[in-house]
Amino acid sequence: MAGTDASLKAEKTIARAPVIILVGPQLGENIGMCARAMLNCAVTELRIVNPRDGWPNPAAVASASGATEVLDKAKLYTSTKEAVADLEFVLATTARERGMVKDIYSTEAAAKEIRLRNAGQDQKCGILFGPERAGLENDDVALANAILNIPLNPGFSSLNLAQAVLLVCFSWLSADNPFQPGDVVTEMGDTAPAQKQEIEMLLTHIEDELVNGNFFRSPEQKPTILRNIRNFFFRAAPTQQDVRTLHGIVSCLTGKRTWK
Amino acid sequence: MAGTDASLKAEKTIARAPVIILVGPQLGENIGMCARAMLNCAVTELRIVNPRDGWPNPAAVASASGATEVLDKAKLYTSTKEAVADLEFVLATTARERGMVKDIYSTEAAAKEIRLRNAGQDQKCGILFGPERAGLENDDVALANAILNIPLNPGFSSLNLAQAVLLVCFSWLSADNPFQPGDVVTEMGDTAPAQKQEIEMLLTHIEDELVNGNFFRSPEQKPTILRNIRNFFFRAAPTQQDVRTLHGIVSCLTGKRTWK
């Protein structure tokens, strides 16, 4: 609940985002959706290895929904080996076991590892994604330091390519999100929280009217009921506007409305 | 690096997943993709308020890629108020400020809040998503306890409906994922890590051959070089198979290959 300004400002510097490497993607539409998902998460460096339908691809532009800066800067390669040549740490995204000796990172662990290698050692990291249907080949996986597995419902784990890219990029962004001012902030509109004394004046108003209306059947029950009412209003954290409205409601209900 | 079995088993009980409520969705295709994204994350309860093209919708089935159990169980409502009536805690997903007094939860904070309300208080929680273009109306947002904001690149934050549902559901799953055995596990295939003594025997083999080949120009540099070599092999954590292969390579390179 820190701060009243919920606008998300991008003032902090972003760590170097991982390079996204699409190996043998089939549909241009999917490449465009990957570019969109990347830019949603402030990830902008795309490499494409042997796209089935050639490059550039108008279908990619159409589905990128404006993420053209990612597509325009995308680099084309004829082998995965070339595409990872200048990287220091590479993860291969795959859901299948490969019978290979490899560490398997969860999406969250991968995000932390990349942040760490960025911050401490200025390493350039990349993440490999295979073709839509078959996924990465074992020779591609062997080029990676480790495997990245997106932990999903094992009974229904098939994602499309852009969704996999989105989850991986969002996990990276979430690991240290400069656009997130806090876990929970409060949007206040054009009013402000009421001061405790304003709430107390409202409670006095309510109490007076309840006394007038013979609400309390016995003097003994009065403190308990008032405590419960107080507890409700303090927990509800009314704004100054809410307090004004509640005064008006009480006045109205008792036939003492003071405005015309 | 815990355990050698990387298969992800779903043996733990899953906490009650949040209800996903689509308000006024336009395209059946998007409803189907939402169902798929939900089931990917083991979220299965879908409610739909006034879908533009009626319900059931064959386009939804086509795009659900098999997540038909979610669509079959989906409930139809004619108002958001009815759709949230039996819920105890509701979040409204929106990227825009509403000038309303509301707490704004990040995706991660929302996931934790829902887990907490589930575990401690057995509360049923729901998450509202608005129509594709316009998003939720203020009257719908007012029905929610708080706002859920997916923290993205503020310069490019537009997501499609199914991607928003995917990120929210994945954050919920990730908050306590029963399918994730650990942050990092090691896939071992059908071999096992070498014991330290096996690595030492390999180092001795290498050292002997380096001595034979007059690799060490002076006795002084020998310990340093051997330490560096040892450091490399221990860091690389070879398997038993790797050690056998490396013995073979050394023998081969020195012309002493022992197999035919």
Side-chain angles (χ1 to χ4, degrees):
Chain A
M1 316 251 183
T4 58
D5 182 0
S7 69
L8 306 178
K9 297 201 180 66
E11 283 166 1
K12 287 199 223 167
T13 309
I14 305 177
R16 178 160 26 185
V19 177
I20 300 300
I21 306 154
L22 305 181
V23 180
Q26 300 179 314
L27 293 170
E29 185 193 353
N30 288 336
I31 301 172
M33 288 173 68
C34 288
R36 179 184 181 181
M38 288 170 61
L39 194 55
N40 280 149
C41 303
V43 175
T44 57
E45 196 171 343
L46 176 64
R47 299 181 181 185
I48 311 173
V49 181
N50 296 328
R52 188 192 64 184
D53 299 338
W55 193 256
N57 183 331
V61 178
S63 67
S65 300
T68 40
E69 67 174 275
V70 174
L71 295 178
D72 291 347
K73 289 194 310 179
K75 286 185 198 144
L76 196 65
Y77 295 85
T78 55
S79 74
T80 307
K81 196 181 283 182
E82 285 174 79
V84 302
D86 63 327
L87 304 180
E88 275 108 358
F89 184 74
V90 175
L91 291 168
T93 309
T94 174
R96 286 188 291 126
E97 287 193 47
R98 302 298 185 136
M100 242 182 252
V101 180
K102 285 276 188 205
D103 285 345
I104 303 175
Y105 284 71
S106 73
T107 326
E108 200 180 332
K112 283 183 198 155
E113 180 76 33
I114 290 171
R115 291 278 180 183
L116 208 67
R117 286 173 181 269
N118 253 213
Q121 304 159 60
D122 198 30
Q123 291 186 11
K124 194 162 187 178
C125 303
I127 304 171
L128 296 166
F129 293 84
E132 286 88 335
R133 295 208 167 269
L136 290 167
E137 292 181 12
N138 280 345
D139 281 343
D140 295 322
V141 175
L143 288 167
N145 295 62
I147 285 173
L148 169 51
N149 178 279
I150 305 174
L152 294 168
N153 176 0
F156 191 83
S157 62
S158 143
L159 284 176
N160 72 36
L161 182 57
Q163 285 173 318
V165 168
L166 178 67
L167 290 182
V168 167
C169 290
F170 185 68
S171 292
W172 173 79
L173 181 64
S174 300
D176 182 18
N177 191 333
F179 310 129
Q180 189 174 321
D183 282 349
V184 184
V185 295
T186 304
E187 178 178 340
M188 288 305 294
D190 51 5
T191 182
Q195 292 179 347
K196 300 308 176 199
Q197 61 188 359
E198 293 173 314
I199 303 175
E200 287 296 344
M201 283 170 65
L202 173 66
L203 290 170
T204 303
H205 184 179
I206 292 171
E207 181 186 346
D208 289 348
E209 294 299 349
L210 292 179
V211 169
N212 288 344
N214 294 313
F215 182 80
F216 304 107
R217 298 203 178 176
S218 72
E220 292 75 35
Q221 63 172 199
K222 190 177 163 186
T224 307
I225 292 176
L226 283 181
R227 188 194 311 122
N228 289 344
I229 296 174
R230 171 175 284 102
N231 188 32
F232 167 75
F233 278 105
F234 275 84
R235 195 177 67 234
T239 64
Q240 294 171 352
Q241 178 60 57
D242 291 333
V243 169
R244 284 192 294 273
T245 304
L246 289 162
H247 275 295
I249 288 173
V250 173
S251 299
C252 172
L253 294 178
T254 56
K256 293 175 184 161
R257 189 149 52 110
T258 52
W259 65 87
K260 302 262 157 52
Chain B
M1 315 254 180
T4 57
D5 181 1
S7 70
L8 306 178
K9 295 199 180 71
E11 284 167 359
K12 287 198 224 169
T13 309
I14 306 175
R16 177 159 30 183
V19 177
I20 300 299
I21 306 154
L22 304 181
V23 180
Q26 300 179 315
L27 292 171
E29 185 192 353
N30 288 336
I31 301 173
M33 288 173 67
C34 288
R36 179 184 181 181
M38 288 170 61
L39 194 55
N40 280 151
C41 303
V43 175
T44 57
E45 196 171 343
L46 176 63
R47 300 180 181 185
I48 311 174
V49 181
N50 296 328
R52 188 191 64 185
D53 299 339
W55 194 257
N57 183 332
V61 178
S63 67
S65 300
T68 40
E69 66 174 276
V70 175
L71 295 178
D72 291 345
K73 288 194 310 177
K75 287 187 196 141
L76 196 66
Y77 295 85
T78 55
S79 75
T80 307
K81 196 181 284 181
E82 286 173 78
V84 302
D86 62 327
L87 304 179
E88 275 109 358
F89 184 74
V90 175
L91 291 168
T93 309
T94 174
R96 287 188 289 127
E97 287 192 48
R98 303 300 184 135
M100 243 182 255
V101 180
K102 286 277 189 204
D103 286 346
I104 304 176
Y105 285 72
S106 73
T107 327
E108 199 179 333
K112 282 184 199 153
E113 180 76 34
I114 290 171
R115 292 278 181 185
L116 209 65
R117 286 173 182 270
N118 253 215
Q121 303 158 62
D122 197 30
Q123 291 186 12
K124 195 163 188 180
C125 302
I127 304 171
L128 295 167
F129 294 84
E132 285 88 337
R133 295 211 167 266
L136 290 167
E137 292 182 11
N138 280 346
D139 281 343
D140 294 321
V141 175
L143 289 167
N145 294 62
I147 285 172
L148 168 52
N149 179 278
I150 305 174
L152 294 168
N153 177 0
F156 192 81
S157 62
S158 141
L159 283 175
N160 73 34
L161 182 56
Q163 284 172 319
V165 168
L166 179 67
L167 290 182
V168 168
C169 290
F170 185 68
S171 292
W172 173 80
L173 180 64
S174 300
D176 182 19
N177 191 333
F179 311 129
Q180 188 174 318
D183 282 350
V184 184
V185 295
T186 304
E187 178 177 343
M188 289 304 295
D190 52 4
T191 182
Q195 293 178 345
K196 301 309 175 197
Q197 62 188 355
E198 292 173 314
I199 303 174
E200 286 297 344
M201 284 169 64
L202 173 66
L203 289 170
T204 304
H205 184 179
I206 292 170
E207 181 185 346
D208 289 348
E209 293 299 348
L210 292 179
V211 169
N212 288 343
N214 294 315
F215 182 80
F216 304 107
R217 300 205 175 177
S218 72
E220 294 76 33
Q221 62 173 197
K222 190 177 166 188
T224 307
I225 292 176
L226 284 181
R227 188 193 312 119
N228 290 343
I229 296 174
R230 170 173 286 102
N231 189 31
F232 167 75
F233 278 106
F234 274 83
R235 196 176 66 235
T239 63
Q240 294 172 354
Q241 178 59 57
D242 292 333
V243 169
R244 284 193 294 273
T245 304
L246 288 162
H247 275 294
I249 288 171
V250 173
S251 298
C252 172
L253 294 177
T254 55
K256 293 174 185 161
R257 188 147 54 110
T258 51
W259 67 86
K260 302 259 161 45

